[in-house]
């Protein structure tokens, strides 16, 4: 039960909105955020935003102008002109400038903050971090360190933030901190050539470029660093971020040992962890699924399977003895019940067999299981085989690696060069199309449950990737409880954590196999973001919540996203807490997701039955269209069924997550945050009025209300807010430097005169 | 009239409807299930489809192409020759110019309690800008449009240039559209000046008066820097224009000026681009290849270039580096886009409802953007090469800006859509004719109603609740494809699949909070009164306020 508090971590941020609502605490202003700011308290990452009255004065900095002649004749828009000077990493800072800067730095030494249990591994001084500013790059001078938790740059830029600004800072990870798990790729620059760094290096680079999984890009210049220190820091960083790791070396164990958690949670308002039988019973009761489904304790102590949670829910008529037959494979597991009694179920496929006799056994077993859930006319089940007729994990992996490259931008030139073909680049990554397909699949399943009164059985090899994704998406769309913060976290706990999604492998936390790294959970968050973006009032949380949640995938303080199964977590956390000698968990063997065999056992076995139930695909499309169109033609009930728009223009890039670190993409004083902060301002005002009325009623003297100052400077917040606070804001506009693409077949039109009349007669 | 079956888009709405022409000259279909309301001015083209031998459902009827991205199809019954009557009536009223009929705005008898014609008064607007001053004067040289028939009668020119100078400069500028002031920076006194191209021609003619005149403009602010000239066209087009007598300011002739080309394409390219936009959203929205289809229209690329140009103009002026002269070929299409957008970025006044009306009235209507030719009001020649969505493109740029700065504009999306709807509707006189002189001859202000009368008598409908008034804040939108979007609520609004969230839920929530705040303030005042009364009678116990008031809850 000690783990109850885990969820408080990523959740405690409350969205930068800090807007409360839904379940209860409408009056709490959410500002009572404990945590002394620096300590990595489990309470809170982000207290409620408070305004900062003025941007702090800019500190002296080393600046090197580049691309000064950007407005040169024929350059902008490039009507055949020359290109703007390419910002490279050569012409940065002259040594004399560094000297002046050096004095300053020694004056204000920035101290390294270590978490409990965190250890400094290596460091290097006189490192320059590059910051893009007004199409120039400036360098900030400081120290680069590597601990067993993070890579951190200690420069003076962070001290430039005043107190008000730091209110919005992430309390665990500063903007110059990169957790080891957040590192994606490391490049070295040798004689102006960029090369991927891995393994043992023969030669050390003059420059280090780090691409992060949260899409930050860091450039560190090592030219002024002592050779010894360069060797130590570069090999240290490469080793600790790229080399395969043992599970027991995860930082969260050192952290858990050093930091005692003493968090008390409000039992009424906590995330359901689904670690007890009671939790499942509550969920059954909540969704009124307890008539037809039962929670079972057959896997208590992981007797049956280490892939399954200790407790789960199966159809009531299913004999419990059936569960161990194939270690839980082939067993329909309950996910959720709809108001009409229809249920969403998932099932992992039976092991692949060649032997006819075994196949026969499997077939009769499945037939038996099937009869318990398919009993027409009362119970009809539709099977959705997600491993054969839907996305493959490889599709997702390929799409995301193309997609993320669009945001890992090294410099301004690259930004504007890709800007002209932005839409086709986006399309060729297929990421948005994959999102659309997931949303569409979820709508189809919703239609079966809601309109056709059918149970839906999701089928996948291990039922722990696309099953998690689709079943949780369906629940977000159908169950308004899942759109509250607590409900959403409980959903993630139920479907993803207890559902055995292999976070360790899918995030490649241990750097053991790049092939297994597939951002399935991120894809889920992106799908939810589409819903949040299209229907903001239907959710208790904001996009900022989702963005910070996505970041927490790479922060090894919260154990939530760092195990492959509940069993793995239990054994490891348990051992650790009891200080038993550590043994490496004999957890799940590698499950390749690239299907080597063409095995369609399940389909063969269930095929005949299913064919009667599955409508022809045309008919399916018609049902889908009708359901979709009819829902969208009615006014939206934010507390009811929620469907996304999936037309081309409606699926968008999650700009907050993907564009937040790119200075060219920032809109100073604009973006959605502008309206959001107006809204918050108004809420604050209304609440303070409400309090005043309260006080009047109790005959008390009104306290000094300081609330109205909240976010007063909102108009000057940048669209990147609350991220990228370290980026200095200038009043200069950013101007595209890229050229115009050829018009193709319209060239003759382009050459025409606007008017046909000749003006040469004067 | 005959019974019809209405087809909206390509889809059959299987019901009987009755189209009729009402007193407002709209094509309306009366049916409880379908509301279709098309001002006849919006119609671009009417065609008969199918003939006497047509068989099958819906193959016989009328096909109506609209200027606002709509296509309407009416399937008619073949018996009774009802189509011929229908076609004739529609054609006559949709294209009155070809039938010697007046445009509907002259028949419209609507009354509003505000007179929109009073919104724009050039003298007042220039006075607001602090003009005339030591360097700039107001001239009435064009009072009867004899200097330039497409310019307004009132112009602002350098103090040091005499009327005689102006006349000589006029001979060297296409259609006599001489450089005149559009906007002056209140502090650094740099200016935005607009004009048409110089008549350089193949031989590379020079004109001392024009050269001197530009130098005078340069010197109006005390800076000694060069005058910046932005030629909106692509370099090649500017060169090509020499063949027809036009051209651009060469370095040799204009020592104190720097010239940049902004690479914005001509009206024909823009027209084709919009046509392509229509192809991808109508009748069905491209689904799987939406993004590459969108890219292939180039529409947003054009928007990006226009915005980029305007940002450069605004930045030059705002930084106080130099005054700016903007022209394209004739200075009534791209030039109007650039000056008005730059002014919108620089001057927060134009971001209010009335300010924006003044901006449109000034930079577009009075300076002779050829609305009649570009839109083709009442004209049946739907393929006219003079038609082009230049003004629409400007409004789209404004929309992109308002999207990026959701609190900076007093007006909402509906305001912009309403302007565009009445750009075509012919219900108001605002956008009729090509220039001020023509409007004066037709006595448009006396005989028609202004669109601003409709809007200003109904302002609440067009207000953006998030508007925060900020003086002297320069807005620089980000002209990147990452932020530019297709304006779905305008271009795809007729598609039933694309549902517009009207009103926008965030806006809705904000309005609720506003109402709640007002209620609380009222209640607090009441309580204050009651409390002071209570001091004399302490026995009354207050009820719990939480029972009286709804909880403040907002989800996001």
């Amino acid at each position: 039960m000690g783990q109850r508090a885990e969820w408080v971590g990523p959740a405690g941020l409350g969205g930068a909105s800090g807007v409360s609502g839904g379940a209860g605490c409408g009056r709490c202003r959410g500002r009572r955020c404990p945590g002394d700011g620096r300590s990595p308290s489990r309470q809170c990452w982000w207290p409620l935003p408070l305004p900062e009255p003025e941007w702090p004065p800019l500190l002296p900095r080393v600046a090197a102008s580049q691309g000064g002649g950007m407005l040169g004749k024929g350059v902008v828009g490039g009507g055949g002109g020359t290109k703007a000077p390419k910002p490279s990493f050569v012409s940065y800072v002259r040594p004399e400038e560094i000297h002046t800067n050096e004095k300053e730095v020694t004056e204000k030494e920035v101290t390294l903050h270590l978490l409990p249990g965190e250890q400094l591994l290596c460091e290097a001084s006189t490192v320059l971090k590059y910051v893009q500013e007004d199409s120039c790059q400036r360098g900030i001078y400081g120290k680069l360190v590597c601990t067993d938790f993070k890579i951190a740059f200690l420069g003076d830029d962070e001290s430039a933030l005043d107190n008000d600004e730091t209110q919005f800072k992430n309390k665990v990870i500063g903007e110059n901190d990169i957790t080891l798990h957040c590192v994606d790729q490391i490049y070295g620059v040798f004689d102006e050539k960029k090369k991927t760094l891995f393994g043992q290096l023969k030669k050390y680079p003059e420059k280090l470029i780090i691409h992060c999984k949260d899409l930050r890009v860091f450039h560190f210049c090592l030219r002024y660093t002592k050779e010894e220190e360069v060797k130590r820091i570069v090999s240290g960083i490469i080793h600790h971020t790229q080399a395969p790791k043992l599970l027991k070396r995860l930082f969260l164990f050192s952290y858990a040992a050093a930091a005692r958690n003493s968090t008390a949670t409000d039992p009424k308002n906590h995330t359901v962890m689904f670690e007890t039988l009671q939790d499942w019973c509550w969920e059954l009761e909540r969704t009124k699924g307890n008539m037809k489904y039962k929670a079972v304790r057959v896997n208590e102590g992981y007797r049956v399977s280490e892939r399954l949670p200790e407790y789960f829910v199966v159809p009531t008529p299913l004999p419990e003895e059936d569960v161990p037959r194939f270690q839980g494979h082939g067993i329909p597991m309950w996910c959720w019940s709809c108001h009409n009694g229809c249920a969403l179920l998932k099932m992992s496929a039976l092991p692949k067999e060649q032997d006819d006799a075994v196949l026969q056994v499997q077939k009769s077993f499945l037939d038996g299981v099937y009869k318990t859930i398919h009993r027409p006319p009362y119970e009809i089940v539709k099977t959705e085989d997600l491993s054969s007729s839907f996305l493959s994990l490889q599709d997702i992996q390929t799409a995301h690696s193309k997609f993320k490259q669009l945001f890992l931008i090294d410099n301004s030139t690259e930004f504007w060069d890709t800007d002209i073909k932005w839409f086709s680049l986006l399309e060729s990554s297929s990421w948005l199309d994959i999102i659309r397909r997931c949303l569409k699949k979820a709508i189809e399943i919703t239609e079966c449950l809601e309109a056709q009164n059918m149970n839906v059985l999701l089928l996948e090899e291990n039922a722990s990737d696309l099953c998690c994704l689709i079943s949780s998406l369906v629940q977000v769309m159908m169950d308004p409880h899942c759109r509250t913060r607590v409900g959403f976290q409980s959903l993630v706990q139920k479907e993803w954590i207890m559902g055995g999604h292999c976070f360790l492998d899918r995030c490649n936390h241990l750097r053991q196999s790049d092939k297994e790294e597939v951002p399935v959970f991120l894809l889920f968050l992106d799908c939810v973001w589409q819903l949040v973006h299209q229907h903001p009032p239907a959710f208790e949380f904001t996009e900022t919540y989702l963005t910070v949640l996505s970041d927490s995938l790479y922060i090894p303080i919260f154990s939530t996203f760092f195990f492959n199964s509940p069993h793995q977590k239990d054994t490891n956390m348990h051992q650790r807490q009891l200080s038993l000698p550590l043994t490496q968990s004999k957890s799940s063997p590698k499950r390749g997701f690239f299907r080597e065999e063409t095995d369609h056992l399940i389909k063969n076995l269930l095929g005949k039955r299913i064919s009667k139930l599955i409508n022809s695909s045309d008919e399916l499309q018609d049902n889908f269209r009708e359901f979709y169109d009819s829902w969208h033609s009615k006014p939206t009930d934010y507390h009811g069924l929620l469907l996304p728009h999936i037309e081309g223009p409606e699926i968008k890039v999650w700009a907050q997550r993907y564009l937040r670190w790119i200075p060219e993409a920032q809109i100073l004083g604009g973006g959605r945050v502008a309206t959001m902060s107006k809204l918050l301002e108004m809420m604050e005002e209304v609440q303070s009025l409400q309090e005043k009325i309260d006080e009047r009623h109790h005959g008390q003297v009104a306290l000094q209300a300081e609330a109205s100052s909240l976010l007063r400077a909102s108009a000057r917040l940048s669209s990147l807010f609350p991220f990228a606070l370290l980026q200095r804001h200038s009043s200069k506009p950013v101007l595209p430097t890229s050229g115009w693409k050829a018009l193709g077949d319209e060239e003759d039109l382009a050459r025409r005169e606007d008017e046909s009349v000749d003006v040469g007669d004067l | 009239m005959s019974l019809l079956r209405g087809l909206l888009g390509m889809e059959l709405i299987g019901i009987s409807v009755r189209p009729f022409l009402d007193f407002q000259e709209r094509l309306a279909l009366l049916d409880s299930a379908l509301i279709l309301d098309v001002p006849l001015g919006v119609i671009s083209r009417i065609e008969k489809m199918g003939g006497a031998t047509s068989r099958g459902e819906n193959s016989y009827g009328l096909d109506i192409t609209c200027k606002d991205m709509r296509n309407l199809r009416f399937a008619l019954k073949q018996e009774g020759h009802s189509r011929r009557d229908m076609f004739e009536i529609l054609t006559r009223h949709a294209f009155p110019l070809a039938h010697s009929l007046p445009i509907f705005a002259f028949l419209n008898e609507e009354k509003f309690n505000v007179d929109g014609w009073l919104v724009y008064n050039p003298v007042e607007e220039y006075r607001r800008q602090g003009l005339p001053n030591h360097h700039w004067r107001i001239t009435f040289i064009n009072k009867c449009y004899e200097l330039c028939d497409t310019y307004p009668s009132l112009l602002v020119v350098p103090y040091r240039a005499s009327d005689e100078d102006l006349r000589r400069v006029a001979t060297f500028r296409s259609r006599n559209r001489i450089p005149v002031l559009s906007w002056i920076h209140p502090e650094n006194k740099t200016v935005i000046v607009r004009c048409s191209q110089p008549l350089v021609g193949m031989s590379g003619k020079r004109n001392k008066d024009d050269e001197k005149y530009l130098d005078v403009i340069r010197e109006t602010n005390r800076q000694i820097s060069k005058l910046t000239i932005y030629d909106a066209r692509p370099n090649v087009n500017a060169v090509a224009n020499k063949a027809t007598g036009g051209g651009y300011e060469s370095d040799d002739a204009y020592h104190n000026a720097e010239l940049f080309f902004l690479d914005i394409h001509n009206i024909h390219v823009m027209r084709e681009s919009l046509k392509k936009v229509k192809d991808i959203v109508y009748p069905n929205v491209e689904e799987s290849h939406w993004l590459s289809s969108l890219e292939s229209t180039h529409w947003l690329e054009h928007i990006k270039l226009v915005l980029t140009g305007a940002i450069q103009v605004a930045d030059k002026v705002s930084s106080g580096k130099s005054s700016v002269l903007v022209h394209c070929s004739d200075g009534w299409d791209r030039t109007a886009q650039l000056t008005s957008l730059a002014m919108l970025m620089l001057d927060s006044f134009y971001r209010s409802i009335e300010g924006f009306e003044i901006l449109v009235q000034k930079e577009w209507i009075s300076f002779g953007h050829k609305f009649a030719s570009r839109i083709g009001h009442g004209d049946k020649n739907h393929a006219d090469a003079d038609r082009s969505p230049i003004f629409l493109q400007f409004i789209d740029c404004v929309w992109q800006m308002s999207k990026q700065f959701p609190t900076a504009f007093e007006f909402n999306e509906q305001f912009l859509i309403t302007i565009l709807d009445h750009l075509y509707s012919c219900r108001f006189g605002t956008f009729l004719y090509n220039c001020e002189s023509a409007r004066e001859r037709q006595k448009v202000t006396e005989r028609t109603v202004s669109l601003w009368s409709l809007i200003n008598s109904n302002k609440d409908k067009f207000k953006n609740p998030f508007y925060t008034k900020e003086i002297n804040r320069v807005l620089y939108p980000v002209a990147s494809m990452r932020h530019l979007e297709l304006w779905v609520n305008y271009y795809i609004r007729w598609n039933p699949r694309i549902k517009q969230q009207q009103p926008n839920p965030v806006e809705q929530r904000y309005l609720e909070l506003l109402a709640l705040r007002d209620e609380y303030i009222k209640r607090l005042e009441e309580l204050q009164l009651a409390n002071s009364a209570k001091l004399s009678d302490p026995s009354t116990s207050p009820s719990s306020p939480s029972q009286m008031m709804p909880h403040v809850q907002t989800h996001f």
Side-chain angles (χ1 to χ4, degrees), chain A residues 515-585:
Chain A
K515 259 175 78 181
E516 292 290 324
E517 183 171 354
V518 188
V520 187
F521 187 67
L522 190 62
L523 175 61
F524 166 64
L525 292 183
D526 209 336
C527 292
V528 175
W529 180 85
Q530 304 290 338
L531 280 157
V532 170
H533 182 77
Q534 292 179 15
H535 308 287
F539 291 84
E540 192 192 1
F541 48 85
T542 64
E543 61 168 348
T544 307
Y545 169 81
L546 293 173
T547 304
V548 180
L549 189 59
S550 77
D551 287 345
S552 68
L553 276 174
Y554 315 111
I555 301 179
I557 283 182
F558 314 100
S559 56
T560 310
F561 300 128
F562 280 83
F563 291 98
N564 277 339
S565 65
H567 167 260
Q568 192 187 30
K569 183 166 106 185
D570 275 6
T571 43
N572 285 285
M573 294 300 273
H574 188 60
Q575 283 169 352
R576 195 73 205 183
Q577 274 156 8
L578 294 180
S579 309
L580 290 174
L582 271 175
T583 48
Q584 209 201 335
S585 93

Side-chain angles (χ1 to χ4, degrees), chain A residues 653-719:
Chain A
V653 172
W654 181 359
Q656 190 191 51
R657 180 178 150 81
Y658 291 105
L659 294 177
R660 61 188 155 152
W661 311 112
I662 304 175
E664 287 80 7
Q666 100 168 308
I667 308 166
L668 183 58
R672 281 164 69 88
V673 71
T675 40
M676 225 49 133
S677 47
K678 285 282 282 185
L679 199 83
L680 282 173
E681 223 170 85
M682 186 53 67
M683 282 202 47
E684 284 286 315
E685 198 180 335
V686 168
Q687 277 170 343
S688 92
L689 281 170
Q690 200 169 10
E691 274 162 30
K692 273 193 201 162
I693 293 175
D694 253 311
E695 284 152 6
R696 288 274 171 205
H697 275 284
H698 298 297
Q700 290 164 352
V701 184
L703 292 165
Q704 209 55 39
E706 26 55 86
S708 55
S709 67
L710 193 89
L711 290 170
R712 184 167 284 158
S714 58
R716 263 171 293 146
L717 292 176
S718 126
S719 61

